[in-house]
Amino acid sequence: MTNRSGAQPGLTLGTVALVQFMVSLDLSVVNVGLPQIAAGLGFSAMGLTWVIHAYALTFGGLLLLGGKAADRYGRKRILLLGLGLFGLASLAGGFARDPGHLVTARAVQGMGAAALAPAALALLTAMFPTGRARVRAFGIWSATNAAGGAFGVLLGGLLTEYANWRWVMFVNVPMAACALALAWRGVAAGPPAARGGRPDVLGAVLVTAGMTLLVFGVVRTDQYAWTSPVTLTTLAVAGALLAAFVRVELTTAREPLVRLGLFANRSVTGANAYTLLVGAAMASCFYFASLYLQQVLGTGPARTGIMFLPFALAVVAGSVLAVKFGYRLTPRVLLVIGGLLTATGLAWFGLISPDGAFTTDVLGPSIVTGGGFGLCLGPVASLATAGVAPHESGTASGLLNSSRQIGASLGLAALGATAHHRTGRTATPETLNDGYALGLTLSAALLIAAVIVALTVLRRTSPPSRVERTDDRALFPARD
């Protein structure tokens, strides 16, 4: 079926789902392969974390610029550009010969993802603006979003053990090619939604540099104390760059990356704060659980990946339930329920022991955590773009994704440093377990904070009305 703009809703939804799966997968697909990547390219223990941070920081830092570019230059154009850049960077990363090459490729991947992710979400928002169709579309988006992150660990483990770690990079190339083909055919090449001034590139550079230095300062606390001149100087410079970013956004003659008045919308503010906290907790959960299975329980990469399958299935199941409940419950209620379930699962994860096993220490927490996480994804994305003017939908989409990636990087840096301090200099299974357990318990605390945000910041709303549900049949004619 084709709508008045010439776009095909089914193909547009398929394109957006594949894009979100791919960018989410790349946040976690390298986790299980990190020991092999370090051995293959000669990474130091400190340098290895930047395989994750290089992607998350450029992705999160440039997302606002990507969203603004999608609004100004056209969503399809920016989507195609981002897909091409992402695919080429993945190919280059697979052929990396030293640590610098791989970190650079991961950073360029993040740049490509920063262009395509907000364009894709803005397309989804425009194609399915209200009612039941929106609930269902965002449910599919959230399921693929969740599946990408969860199945990334499974796929990364299988590729690392039975092929080569380089395939965790190469695997993106065919996905990017398929998404390009779908977007070329199914996404309408409509006029750009806005024609303001040029996007604020200086602001994008300032926020990316500031966040990178902030993460760098936190990560380096494994060598320099929090009160050392090196750490204090790094964090002070990071703070200055972020303050300069806010100043530029208020005074620039160009089109600001984000209109600060957008935060007057409580749905936007609450959804982004919630996503920042959940992103910090879940990135840390993936990291600590993967290392616990490999370094404490002695599980191989492939088996570690397979052990994440219940988590992945639970996330998808939670996303499907969010669609069903979304016709009866408000997004705010779903965020509270999902956040509490996720916090419960993470607190349960925090009880891991060095002589534990998958069935006793991992399986149950994985199901509870995954189910709760899946309930959150669709509603928070819907809220983040609710009530936003059409010409700012790309900006709002980029802001949400930026909050998730920056939260992931900051959370992993802070909780990783905390876990390292708990572990101490002697890395035995017992000390490693203590550090990972602390990190998982603190992740649960972040989810409690997210629930408090949902209760205090987000407004009470109503589920889709009967009229909206009926009108949506024009886009989704098949009835449940």
Side-chain angles (χ1 to χ4, degrees):
M1 178 178 178
T2 303
N3 69 7
R4 295 175 186 175
S5 69
Q8 301 179 54
L11 284 178
T12 299
L13 182 56
T15 302
V16 172
L18 180 56
V19 164
Q20 193 60 43
F21 179 88
M22 183 174 65
V23 298
S24 297
L25 179 139
D26 244 57
L27 285 168
S28 59
V29 73
V30 301
N31 276 351
V32 178
L34 286 175
Q36 287 75 14
I37 291 173
L41 295 182
F43 273 96
S44 65
M46 172 62 190
L48 189 62
T49 62
W50 288 96
V51 176
I52 297 174
H53 291 313
Y55 179 77
L57 285 170
T58 54
F59 189 3
L62 298 176
L63 268 166
L64 293 175
L65 181 62
K68 185 61 66 175
D71 285 337
R72 187 178 191 276
Y73 299 112
R75 295 156 190 163
K76 180 175 181 178
R77 180 182 299 176
I78 297 301
L79 179 68
L80 295 175
L81 176 65
L83 283 168
L85 186 61
F86 191 93
L88 290 174
S90 299
L91 187 65
F95 288 113
R97 296 298 175 190
D98 60 51
H101 290 165
L102 182 58
V103 170
T104 300
R106 289 284 287 169
V108 178
Q109 270 188 321
M111 294 176 188
L116 63 92
L121 189 53
L123 284 166
L124 191 68
T125 299
M127 182 64 66
F128 307 104
T130 59
R132 182 171 183 149
R134 183 180 178 90
V135 171
R136 186 179 296 183
F138 274 92
I140 294 171
W141 175 89
S142 67
T144 55
N145 181 17
F151 281 106
V153 183
L154 170 63
L155 186 60
L158 294 173
L159 290 174
T160 299
E161 184 153 330
Y162 296 117
N164 185 284
W165 69 260
R166 296 181 183 277
W167 280 96
V168 303
M169 300 294 291
F170 288 143
V171 71
N172 295 303
V173 178
M175 285 193 292
C178 288
L180 269 170
L182 283 173
W184 189 269
R185 180 182 176 187
V187 177
R195 280 292 183 184
R198 294 183 178 181
D200 177 24
V201 177
L202 175 60
V205 172
L206 286 172
V207 71
T208 305
M211 294 307 305
T212 300
L213 272 180
L214 182 60
V215 170
F216 182 75
V218 174
V219 169
R220 293 284 287 181
T221 57
D222 66 336
Q223 297 184 27
Y224 300 99
W226 285 98
T227 55
S228 71
V230 172
T231 300
L232 292 176
T233 301
T234 302
L235 296 180
V237 173
L241 289 172
L242 294 174
F245 163 71
V246 175
R247 176 68 177 173
V248 166
E249 294 307 289
L250 291 171
T251 61
T252 182
R254 294 194 170 203
E255 189 75 17
L257 291 181
V258 57
R259 183 177 60 84
L260 297 184
L262 194 62
F263 291 101
N265 183 326
R266 287 176 62 175
S267 291
V268 172
T269 300
N272 278 277
Y274 189 97
T275 297
L276 183 81
L277 292 165
V278 172
M282 296 311 298
S284 302
C285 172
F286 277 121
Y287 183 76
F288 291 131
S290 174
L291 291 180
Y292 170 72
L293 287 168
Q294 293 188 84
Q295 297 186 350
V296 177
L297 300 187
T299 309
R303 287 189 63 203
T304 296
I306 293 170
M307 288 175 178
F308 271 89
L309 188 57
F311 182 95
L313 295 175
V315 173
V316 175
S319 300
V320 173
L321 287 175
V323 176
K324 298 296 184 183
F325 292 148
Y327 304 142
R328 301 173 179 85
L329 302 176
T330 65
R332 178 175 178 263
V333 171
L334 285 173
L335 291 186
V336 171
I337 295 172
L340 290 174
L341 276 176
T342 309
T344 300
L346 289 171
W348 189 359
F349 252 132
L351 301 177
I352 54 175
S353 63
D355 56 350
F358 169 72
T359 53
T360 57
D361 291 60
V362 178
L363 180 58
S366 293
I367 294 172
V368 176
T369 303
F373 183 47
L375 280 175
C376 301
L377 291 171
V380 78
S382 181
L383 280 172
T385 53
V388 175
H391 70 275
E392 288 190 307
S393 61
T395 302
S397 303
L399 185 62
L400 178 71
N401 277 296
S402 182
S403 296
R404 180 188 175 197
Q405 307 312 326
I406 289 173
S409 199
L410 284 175
L412 181 57
L415 298 189
T418 303
H420 175 80
H421 289 308
R422 170 64 67 88
T423 299
R425 295 180 179 274
T426 306
T428 65
E430 290 75 17
T431 58
L432 289 172
N433 181 84
D434 288 345
Y436 302 153
L438 176 61
L440 289 163
T441 302
L442 292 175
S443 296
L446 292 176
L447 260 297
I448 295 298
V451 171
I452 294 173
V453 167
L455 290 171
T456 57
V457 179
L458 295 174
R459 293 183 184 275
R460 298 176 183 270
T461 56
S462 300
S465 67
R466 290 181 180 272
V467 174
E468 287 176 322
R469 296 180 193 182
T470 302
D471 291 344
D472 292 335
R473 292 172 189 164
L475 291 175
F476 287 110
R479 299 183 65 177
D480 293 334

